[in-house]
Amino acid sequence: MKLLRRDWNEFWFQPISSIPLGMFRLVFGLLVLSYGLLLLPERFVWFGNRGVLPLTDSNAYNGIGAWVQHLDLLAFRGADHWLSAFFAVFLVAALCLTLGFWTRTSAVIVYLCINTLHSRNAVIHHSGDTVMLVMSAYLVFSSAGAACSLDRLWRIFKGRENDEPPRIVPWAQRLMQLQVAIVYLGASLSKVGGEKWVNGTAAYYPLHLPESARFPTPGSELLWVINLVTWGTIAVELGLATLIWVPRLRLYVLLGGVLLHLGIEYSLNIPLFSFIMIASYMTFLTAADYTNFLAWAKCPLRLTLFRVIYDGECDFCKSALLAVRFLDVFRQLTFVDSHDEAAREATGVNFALAEQAAIAVDPSGKQFAGYDAFRAIAWQLPATTLIAPLLYVPPIPQIGRRVYAWVKDNRGRLPVAPRYQIQEAAEERETTNV
Amino acid sequence: MSSLDNPRDKVRQRRVDRLEKRWWVRKAVNLFIIWHLFCLAIWLLPYRSSSPSPIIEGSLGAVRPYMTFTGFAQSWNMFSPEPDKMDVTLEAEVTHANGHKDHWFFPRMARMSYPHRYQAERWRKLVENATHGSNPILWPPLARYAARVNNYDAQNPPVSVTLISHSRIIPPLGEPLPAYTAVPLQTGHGASVTPIRPEDLR
């Protein structure tokens, strides 16, 4: 009994890295955003009172007489402009959830909105949408903003956290994992009872339904291919329900699931379903998996190690570097205080130049100053890689250099991270006491 | 500066630590986990059992409001126990005041471009739910929607709509595809014809 209690507590409450959950939140938020954007153009058709299922018919379909059994925020206000306002709130909350800004609050709003849309029109939602709904419910209880979030960046600015994201109590994440396993257990067991699944021909039918098929599937007319896909589906789903809990097999089982869902995404038109399922696997990953992935991804990305020389006596510069360090997922940047003479001289940058602007130095010793340094660094950070090419397109460089010059001249007046304000105040107090 | 140099943060951290150590927080989370797992198990059990025991039936009564309200009331039997074999599209035969009939199809995926199909897939799900599961409760609102879409002449408004399913069963591997069969959706009293009132068109 004691052993059972210990294992129970270890499983649900022993702190783990917050990175996997943070990454899941980021990807999940993007999917929620896509779900909202896909529904947005036809919101009045699906959820409006002149649409396919007005409120009274929706309630009749749900089999309810009182709204309280289903969570439907739209039941109070059915007018179309309320629907537009509802979608605006939903999309903003989904964006905030993606960025990890006011994470808990945005998770609550996202959950309420998704649940409302499901209740308001249960007829148009598929299993992937349902997985999205239940995962959003779990996110409400999780510490999803502990890593990879603007909330964390703010905590870094305030000096409450440093380079390492905090560890979190994982009970909500464990519920997500169990939910994923339950989904696959339900799916696989119900297939085992079906004649077409047992005789190995079930996969043939959805692939040949013109309304649900997407791209033509090679080999879908060959019995052995159909057998392989049918039985392979059951095997992978059973694996995702059971073998996923065996640490040594976890990654292989997840890989099987990813391949299964990429196949579904290619051959069947079920919007976002496969991506939601694949995203849910992220809750099974560990911090070590992410570290290994980053190390593996570094090679093909051909990233460069840069040394960044900054003015260590400028609080605004140090604040900006906190954000850069936060975004430097691949740890490609090292930071050198221009006032640290030995370290600066090792980079070959002279003090006068370092006083004028931040300098980025690549391994060959090539120096990039000011806006050019910003542009060189942008290539190294995953969050800014996509905008990096735009930084070369006229007139952006010209504007960028002007903005940089303005910032340099006014940096004493620009806001700084609260941790430096506090430090400054403490130093002032010390000076006064002396 | 270390993360806890600020006295305010030290106080905050102490508060968090205290909360985490409080026995009732852990107890409450434990109770919630047990309750939630119990609900999930009870909810899934009926799908496995053809004759559920009175205990499960009784538990289901307590579990249902929680599962429905939170959105966890799901069965997870995707493409099973048998995969869907019915290829179906839905037509609305809209009769106008002067007797003219319009034939309007609910959007069909097979006739759309790939990107459009992705955005419009909800129509397929709608038609599937309206036709496969025999959900006659959905037919009147769908008929009224079709009437609104085809209400282009104020002098000659739609007065009734008949929903017609065009369907065929996908045959086993190697057999030729049959032709579509068009049949009006049937209620116990014959074809489902929805009368359209002026207020339905607003």
Side-chain angles (χ1 to χ4, degrees), chain B residues 7-35:
Chain B
R8 250 176 42 194
D9 290 334
K10 276 183 188 164
V11 173
R12 200 190 303 267
Q13 188 59 45
R14 265 208 303 276
R15 242 183 254 155
V16 171
D17 290 345
R18 222 170 28 225
L19 195 70
E20 276 179 3
K21 278 178 196 153
R22 275 183 191 162
W23 64 270
W24 59 266
V25 173
R26 182 69 69 92
K27 274 267 192 296
V29 172
N30 269 322
L31 280 175
F32 173 73
I33 292 170
I34 291 165
W35 161 251

Side-chain angles (χ1 to χ4, degrees), chain A residues 8 50-51 68 111 115 123 127 129-130 138 159-160 190-191 194-197 211 213-214 271-272, chain B residues 3 9 30 36 68-70 74 76 78-82 109 117-119 121-122 124 129 148 173 202:
Chain A
W8 172 275
R50 296 186 71 247
V68 77
Y111 164 66
N115 202 349
V123 184
S127 301
D129 300 320
T130 313
Y138 292 126
R160 277 194 231 148
S190 57
K191 285 181 177 68
E195 184 205 332
K196 295 278 185 289
W197 286 99
E211 290 296 298
R214 183 179 285 158
L272 302 178
Chain B
S3 60
D9 290 334
N30 269 322
H36 187 71
T68 309
F69 189 74
T70 54
Q74 310 300 333
W76 312 119
M78 286 90 96
F79 302 111
S80 57
E82 295 299 339
M109 300 299 108
R117 206 182 285 192
Y118 203 76
Q119 198 251 320
E121 192 269 347
R122 310 277 165 193
R124 183 200 64 78
N129 274 322
R148 283 194 288 274
L173 181 66
R202 282 200 287 269

